[in-house]
């Protein structure tokens, strides 16, 4: 299907699935709440806004699910239908490391309830700048040449799911909460394919961490 048919989100610069494990190494080395928020976003294939406004009462630790209310999901026509997100082992670890002082999972700077709108993008830009200073190539979009954004991390997941994992399109599209195709709409009737998506997200975490470990040894 044409990308325009699959979804209508504006393309945001991303790092590409080949470069994201190298980015992952540097991201995990940062000890800040925005860094953990970005790591959580990558592991859930979520949107930055969904992560910024994630609330503790949306998290089910027992079933390892993050249930995002439909009204928080961009482009969702049926605002009554939530989006269920399976959580990987590392995603659960991140959640358990966060303070529980307020309603939001990733609180903002100096007592603010949520992170700023640019917090996650600033993490990407800082890592890009540091990588350049250390003699690396930075993290730019392979097509546009622009510095990657937090939202652009979603495209790395999609390309990996398609080219490396060979996941069914409706499974990866549901992981991205794209529901504009007949196949994904039908999948929503089957409990959002959570078991298959959980397997996919666990494989993605393994790809990120295993490749990152290999790069550290090199």
């Amino acid at each position: 299907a044409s990308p325009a048919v699959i979804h209508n989100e504006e393309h945001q610069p991303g790092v590409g699935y080949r470069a994201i494990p190298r980015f992952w190494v540097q991201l995990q080395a940062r000890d800040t709440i925005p860094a953990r928020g970005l790591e959580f976003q990558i592991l859930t294939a979520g949107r930055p806004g969904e992560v910024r406004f994630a609330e503790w009462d949306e998290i089910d630790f027992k079933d390892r699910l993050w249930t995002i209310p439909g009204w928080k999901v961009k482009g969702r026509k049926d605002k009554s239908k939530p989006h269920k997100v399976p959580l990987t082992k590392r995603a659960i670890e991140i959640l358990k490391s966060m303070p529980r002082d307020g309603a939001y999972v990733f609180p903002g700077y100096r007592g603010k309830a949520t992170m700023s709108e640019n917090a996650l993008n600033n993490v990407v830009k800082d890592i890009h700048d540091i990588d350049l200073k250390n003699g690396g190539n930075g993290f730019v979009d392979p097509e546009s040449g622009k510095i990657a954004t937090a939202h652009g991390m979603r495209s790395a997941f999609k390309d990996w799911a398609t080219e490396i994992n060979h996941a069914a399109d409706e499974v990866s599209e549901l992981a991205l909460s794209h529901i504009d195709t007949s196949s994904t709409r039908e999948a929503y009737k089957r409990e959002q394919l959570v078991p298959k998506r959980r397997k996919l997200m666990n494989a993605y975490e393994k790809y990120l961490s295993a490749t990152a470990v290999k790069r550290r040894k090199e």
Side-chain angles (χ1 to χ4, degrees):
S2 165
V5 174
I6 293 174
H7 64 90
N8 58 4
E9 287 189 349
E10 180 183 355
H11 173 73
Q12 295 285 339
V15 302
Y17 75 86
R18 292 182 180 87
I20 199 168
R22 186 168 66 87
F23 179 87
W24 187 256
V25 172
Q26 299 183 48
L27 175 61
Q28 290 195 307
R30 300 176 72 86
D31 187 19
T32 66
I33 287 178
R36 297 291 73 75
L38 181 59
E39 189 179 355
F40 185 79
Q41 184 210 319
I42 292 171
L43 289 170
T44 58
R47 296 178 176 87
E50 294 165 353
V51 172
R52 284 181 61 218
F53 296 107
E55 298 181 62
W56 285 112
D57 62 6
E58 298 167 2
I59 306 297
D60 184 337
F61 283 99
K62 181 179 178 181
D63 291 333
R64 293 178 296 145
L65 279 175
W66 172 27
T67 302
I68 308 173
W71 62 269
K72 285 187 176 183
V73 180
K74 181 180 178 182
R76 179 62 52 86
K77 294 180 181 179
D78 184 354
K79 299 299 183 182
S80 67
K81 187 177 291 294
H83 176 57
K84 297 179 181 179
V85 183
L87 299 172
T88 67
K89 179 181 177 181
R90 176 57 186 160
I92 291 291
E93 290 175 353
I94 292 169
L95 292 172
K96 289 183 176 179
S97 74
M98 289 296 104
R100 297 290 293 267
D101 301 328
Y104 295 98
V105 176
F106 300 100
Y109 184 57
R110 291 184 176 178
K112 293 184 178 180
T114 63
M115 294 183 293
S116 71
E117 184 176 357
N118 291 319
L120 300 182
N121 281 336
N122 288 340
V123 174
V124 180
K125 188 177 184 304
D126 287 347
I127 292 176
H128 166 80
D129 291 341
I130 291 173
D131 191 68
L132 287 177
K133 289 180 181 179
N134 291 335
N137 296 320
F139 296 96
V140 298
D141 187 276
E143 295 181 4
S144 69
K146 296 180 180 179
I147 298 174
T149 63
H151 193 287
M153 299 295 168
R154 286 161 52 85
S155 64
F157 164 76
K158 176 62 178 181
D159 290 344
W160 167 86
T162 301
E163 299 184 29
I164 302 300
N165 187 269
H166 305 297
D169 192 63
E170 63 266 24
V171 177
S172 61
E173 287 295 291
L174 277 171
L176 293 163
S177 68
H178 292 157
I179 56 171
D180 291 338
T181 66
S182 59
S183 62
T184 53
R185 283 195 296 270
E186 184 64 27
Y188 256 87
K189 298 177 183 178
R190 303 193 300 274
E191 294 299 312
Q192 302 186 26
L193 299 180
V194 168
K196 289 184 178 181
R197 287 169 50 210
R198 186 181 299 282
K199 184 177 180 180
L200 179 64
M201 302 317 295
N202 285 338
Y204 192 49
E205 178 180 290
K206 184 177 180 180
Y207 167 75
L208 292 169
S209 58
T211 310
V213 168
K214 180 179 178 181
R215 289 183 178 277
R216 288 192 188 99
K217 291 180 178 178
E218 292 174 350

